[in-house]
Amino acid sequence: MDQKNFILGQSIHRIDAVGKVTGETPYPGDIDLEGQLWMKVRFTDRVHARVTAIGTSRAEAYPGVIAVYTAKDVPVNEYGLGIFDQPVLCGPGSAKPDGDIVRCVSDYVAVVVAETEKIAAEAVKLIDITYEDLPIVTDVEEAMKDGAPQLHASVKNNILTHHRIRHGDMAAGWAQAEVIVEGEYRTGYQEHAYLQPEAGLGYLDEEGRVTVVVAGQWVHEDQEQVAHALGLPLDQVRIIYPAIGGAFGGREDMSVQIILALASWKLERPVKIIWSREESIVGHHKRHPMILRTKWGATREGRVVAAEATVIADAGAYAYTTPKVLGNANLMVVGPYEIPNVKVDSFGVYTNNIPTGAFRGFGGPQGAFAAENQMNKLAELLGMDPIELRLKNVLREGAIFCTGTPFPPGVTMDRVLENGALESDYWDRVGATWQKRPVAQPLDGSKRRGVGVAMGFKNIGFSFGAPEQNWATVEIHGDGQIERVVVHQAGADVGQGAHTIFVQMAAEVIGVPVEMVELLGHDTATNGTSGSSSASRMTFMAGNAIKGAAEMALKKWQDEERPAFATYQYRPPATTPLDPETGECKPNFSYGYMAQFVEVEVDVETGFVEVVRVVSAHDVGKALNPMLVEGQVEGAVVQALGYAVMENLVTKDGKVLNPYLSTYLIPTIWDIPREVKSVIFEYGDPEGPWGARGMAEMPFISFAPAITAAIHDATGVWIDQIPLLPDRVVTHMRTHGLGVI
């Protein structure tokens, strides 16, 4: 075939576009089987209590009810990513110690299976639950104190995880510092708000395997969680993903997978469930709220010489991915800078609040909010342009990070910042100095405009020594010439367009049109593990695996082995764990780099913040499909805008007070910026497939501090807490004599 017919780098349309637009593509809630039953979950009525009795007789007697399951029916009754600390069902008879304790509103006590969804919904209300209330703790700092209610007996003072960095000599650093900036920053929850609420279908397949059709981010991890909880051999559990209606980290943990498997396994009939939006918001984890206290010191020439930080994250009632999220925040709270003396302590703390876990950026947005605000405040204190100050301190090739090691080869943050600033139309470079252009002000006297900048980095792939791998198999078929290519790759397409990229990569290597490539994915029965669609890793990891398998298959074809089959496992360069005392490690094998420039308009009387224009600059290594890259930038910017400006999950005493999209507000078309300019640099990652880096999370990382910098530029007021709700903004403005008093 013609190897010069290049396919990568072209903005081909997504292979799933027509089916999704027309409604022909099925999502989990669209799939039905003959004879299927329906399930509903009975969530706990308490925030922290021991379940002493569960009366199921009224529910079981309700016409049309087939079964009611409680903790005694779950063979192992525990699950969790990394730590098995959560019961599948909470109540008496649990195989898990203290499995009769509910610790948050997200816990399940029972499930009802019935002939119809309506019957299941009515019957679940008839379950009688007796509780012995336990003391609650919802303030994360109170939870850390001696004498606070303990959520898990083995975790002292509720401190699930404590990461440290001890780099350099802090006393010497503070002695060198001529200016010091201190700040306390607070970030809130964020709900994933994916379009498709949790739904699924469990059944026994033709080989008798317990099969769950569901939406997730890693079929093989879901398989392991289900098999563990039910005490089944791994090969007796099968997970299939149809189309996935968004994820953003919210589908990394379990939702309906285990309970669907339980019911279909016991009843030997198909069982279906679809959550309401309220059930979805209450039932799955959120982004971690964090308190970040930090102190930076610099010389008058602008060299940052010391940085200290304490990060406290509310983990909620269960671990989920908190230890890993805090590992990221632990690094990112000092920013993408070469600072010789660093001390950081990062804590993940159990409370009786809703659990928190993975969300686009994975600890990076919270860390960057503190670090980039610190850098912008330093620039103001020094009377220095914020671009110029960053360039004096930014990590470059070979520079030593606070982990005591350099970043992997291919560090391009300085180029992304410089060239992004020039592309933004907000800054000019005059010799070795930088000057920000004046911003045109609106005629309305209550409105002020300003421009802010922030930058950052984000790991690609699993960190801190976690095993990394990705498997792909490629088949080449034809009679004399290639007629069909089959790619086996389990990587989840959660809406980002990964499957389109998979097909493009195979077509590029083999030299065939994309229409000739068939993808078999999302099924544990037909694929080796891909790892999760998270950590901006899928293009990087699956790309290297598909490239390797396709090259091997093509070589076999050329050697007259027909049809040709090849399987390839890609393993990236090894990383190492954080040293528990010093934080020294090789944390990651690749990074993505970004700089963002944001123009806002602030109404000092109402507190309303409008994001007018965004310039988001990224080194993506190689834009394998530029249209999809731009889509990721635009989508992340809008989601980050919601996080920074308007999304406000309200909780009280552990309960969610606004579990609806009518009261938990996310951006609509009326809220998005008037312009989002994607600036795509292709500097190349030495390890990435065709030089590509991951990039899906990067436009989120530094967005919030760019907004607060722009607000300060417009008004002279720093705001150190997000979301930037109008009442919060007005309070700050009036404190500084702005707006109506």
Side-chain angles (χ1 to χ4, degrees):
M1 305 300 290
D2 183 10
Q3 292 289 315
K4 298 184 182 301
N5 183 24
F6 296 114
I7 294 166
L8 292 177
Q10 304 300 311
S11 292
I12 71 166
H13 293 297
R14 290 172 52 142
I15 61 174
D16 56 357
V18 173
K20 288 183 174 179
V21 169
T22 60
E24 294 176 0
T25 297
Y27 291 80
D30 300 321
I31 299 171
D32 297 291
L33 289 176
E34 185 177 351
Q36 74 186 20
L37 304 170
W38 284 84
M39 173 185 285
K40 278 292 182 181
V41 175
R42 176 65 183 268
F43 288 91
T44 174
D45 305 301
R46 299 289 194 276
V47 172
H48 196 199
R50 189 178 297 277
V51 180
T52 59
I54 303 175
T56 61
S57 58
R58 290 199 302 145
E60 289 168 330
Y62 194 82
V65 169
I66 303 300
V68 179
Y69 296 115
T70 63
K72 69 181 187 308
D73 300 303
V74 189
V76 180
N77 199 35
E78 65 176 13
Y79 70 98
L81 288 177
I83 301 173
F84 293 116
D85 63 347
Q86 185 166 7
V88 178
L89 299 173
C90 301
S94 173
K96 181 177 177 60
D98 290 330
D100 56 348
I101 296 176
V102 295
R103 297 174 174 86
C104 67
V105 295
S106 304
D107 276 325
Y108 313 163
V109 176
V111 296
V112 171
V113 182
E115 293 287 356
T116 69
E117 185 178 23
K118 183 177 180 180
I119 292 171
E122 290 299 318
V124 82
K125 302 172 189 175
L126 301 178
I127 297 173
D128 299 306
I129 306 171
T130 305
Y131 297 98
E132 178 187 302
D133 287 327
L134 299 171
I136 70 170
V137 59
T138 57
D139 182 286
V140 68
E141 293 188 281
E142 290 297 317
M144 300 172 71
K145 294 180 180 179
D146 291 337
Q150 297 295 289
L151 270 75
H152 299 269
S154 62
V155 181
K156 184 180 179 182
N157 289 15
N158 296 306
I159 298 174
L160 164 65
T161 189
H162 177 194
H163 297 306
R164 301 171 180 84
I165 291 177
R166 302 292 186 268
H167 177 62
D169 183 333
M170 295 309 301
W174 294 124
Q176 293 173 12
E178 297 171 287
V179 295
I180 291 176
V181 171
E182 297 188 67
E184 178 177 300
Y185 304 93
R186 291 177 180 257
T187 67
Y189 288 106
Q190 188 178 21
E191 154 65 23
H192 300 85
Y194 26 67
L195 287 175
Q196 173 223 324
E198 289 75 2
L201 179 69
Y203 63 94
L204 300 186
D205 74 2
E206 63 280 358
E207 296 185 21
R209 292 173 293 200
V210 177
T211 302
V212 180
V213 178
V214 70
Q217 294 181 234
W218 183 358
V219 287
H220 289 86
E221 177 62 34
D222 289 4
Q223 180 190 35
E224 290 180 8
Q225 295 280 326
V226 170
H228 176 82
L230 300 188
L232 292 173
L234 199 62
D235 63 4
Q236 289 304 300
V237 175
R238 180 183 182 186
I239 305 294
I240 301 171
Y241 295 166
I244 301 166
F248 314 116
R251 301 191 199 273
E252 283 198 38
D253 297 279
M254 295 295 96
S255 57
V256 299
Q257 291 92 324
I258 297 172
I259 53 177
L260 283 173
L262 171 72
S264 59
W265 173 49
K266 286 182 173 289
L267 295 172
E268 298 185 1
R269 287 182 65 180
V271 180
K272 183 174 180 176
I273 191 170
I274 300 176
W275 274 3
S276 67
R277 182 61 64 178
E278 180 184 2
E279 289 171 315
S280 177
I281 290 177
V282 171
H284 80 258
H285 70 265
K286 308 291 174 269
R287 187 187 296 279
H288 291 77
M290 293 191 190
I291 302 167
L292 306 101
R293 299 186 176 103
T294 186
K295 174 182 174 182
W296 288 25
T299 65
R300 295 201 181 278
E301 290 72 36
R303 183 74 176 94
V304 181
V305 292
E308 287 189 10
T310 300
V311 179
I312 303 173
D314 187 340
Y318 299 104
Y320 286 58
T321 53
T322 290
K324 297 174 184 178
V325 170
L326 264 291
N328 269 7
N330 196 57
L331 303 185
M332 296 183 186
V333 73
V334 295
Y337 305 112
E338 185 180 10
I339 305 175
N341 307 292
V342 176
K343 178 185 177 184
V344 181
D345 289 277
S346 297
F347 301 91
V349 183
Y350 283 130
T351 68
N352 290 114
N353 291 319
I354 196 165
T356 51
F359 201 133
R360 195 178 205 161
F362 208 74
Q366 298 98 316
F369 186 64
E372 292 302 285
N373 273 305
Q374 287 290 99
M375 187 58 81
N376 283 324
K377 290 178 181 179
L378 267 179
E380 181 187 38
L381 185 61
L382 293 167
M384 190 176 294
D385 183 89
I387 304 289
E388 188 174 339
L389 179 61
R390 283 173 168 81
L391 289 171
K392 286 177 179 286
N393 293 279
V394 71
L395 286 160
R396 300 170 190 262
E397 197 77 57
I400 300 301
F401 190 41
C402 63
T403 56
T405 56
F407 272 25
V411 181
T412 61
M413 278 182 282
D414 55 334
R415 285 187 279 170
V416 172
L417 178 62
E418 287 184 280
N419 295 330
L422 294 174
E423 289 274 357
S424 74
D425 299 323
Y426 294 124
W427 265 270
D428 293 308
R429 181 167 50 195
V430 181
T433 64
W434 289 81
Q435 294 179 357
K436 187 165 73 68
R437 299 176 186 176
V439 180
Q441 295 298 318
L443 295 176
D444 187 331
S446 69
K447 295 180 179 178
R448 315 282 177 85
R449 283 202 181 188
V451 171
V453 60
M455 67 182 301
F457 64 99
K458 174 65 177 63
N459 63 291
I460 295 163
F462 299 155
S463 307
F464 308 120
E468 257 289 29
Q469 61 173 323
N470 191 292
W471 288 86
T473 296
V474 172
E475 308 172 12
I476 303 177
H477 299 269
D479 184 11
Q481 63 180 6
I482 298 174
E483 298 172 358
R484 184 167 67 102
V485 175
V486 180
V487 176
H488 298 260
Q489 168 54 234
D493 190 327
V494 295
Q496 79 277 39
H499 285 179
T500 301
I501 292 293
F502 296 169
V503 168
Q504 280 187 263
M505 290 188 288
E508 176 81 11
V509 173
I510 298 171
V512 298
V514 292
E515 294 79 11
M516 199 177 285
V517 181
E518 175 187 351
L519 178 67
L520 298 180
H522 283 179
D523 188 341
T524 56
T526 59
N527 293 282
T529 186
S530 63
S532 84
S533 279
S534 64
S536 299
R537 63 182 288 282
M538 194 49 69
T539 294
F540 192 105
M541 294 294 298
N544 276 315
I546 291 169
K547 186 172 184 285
E551 289 172 345
M552 291 169 61
L554 181 61
K555 177 68 166 58
K556 289 182 177 181
W557 178 271
Q558 292 168 340
D559 291 341
E560 303 296 326
E561 185 177 327
R562 300 177 181 182
F565 295 81
T567 297
Y568 184 82
Q569 179 195 34
Y570 173 68
R571 285 191 176 275
T575 62
T576 60
L578 279 163
D579 183 281
E581 299 302 323
T582 68
E584 184 171 341
C585 62
K586 293 181 179 177
N588 296 292
F589 57 81
S590 180
Y591 290 94
Y593 306 117
M594 79 294 301
Q596 292 176 299
F597 312 84
V598 177
E599 181 178 350
V600 305
E601 185 171 282
V602 186
D603 190 321
V604 297
E605 292 186 359
T606 66
F608 183 76
V609 176
E610 179 186 359
V611 179
V612 177
R613 182 171 182 263
V614 176
V615 179
S616 198
H618 303 270
D619 176 12
V620 304
K622 170 68 176 177
L624 301 180
N625 186 316
M627 180 171 61
L628 294 184
V629 171
E630 290 180 8
Q632 286 295 297
V633 172
E634 292 166 3
V637 162
V638 172
Q639 196 172 46
L641 183 153
Y643 177 57
V645 174
M646 62 191 300
E647 295 187 37
N648 186 38
L649 191 79
V650 181
T651 63
K652 183 178 181 181
D653 298 329
K655 296 181 179 179
V656 179
L657 301 186
N658 57 335
Y660 314 99
L661 292 183
S662 58
T663 49
Y664 178 88
L665 303 180
I666 64 175
T668 71
I669 194 169
W670 298 108
D671 304 300
I672 65 176
R674 301 177 196 177
E675 179 189 357
V676 177
K677 180 180 178 180
S678 301
V679 180
I680 307 303
F681 300 122
E682 297 182 289
Y683 299 138
D685 185 302
E687 183 70 20
W690 294 274
R693 302 177 188 270
M695 57 75 55
E697 297 169 284
M698 289 51 179
F700 203 121
I701 300 296
S702 54
F703 194 75
I707 290 180
T708 54
I711 291 173
H712 177 266
D713 186 52
T715 66
V717 178
W718 291 109
I719 305 178
D720 296 339
Q721 183 174 0
I722 54 174
L724 298 161
L725 304 174
D727 59 339
R728 181 170 290 149
V729 174
V730 163
T731 299
H732 279 79
M733 295 301 140
R734 293 184 180 181
T735 300
H736 290 79
L738 298 173
V740 177
I741 299 177

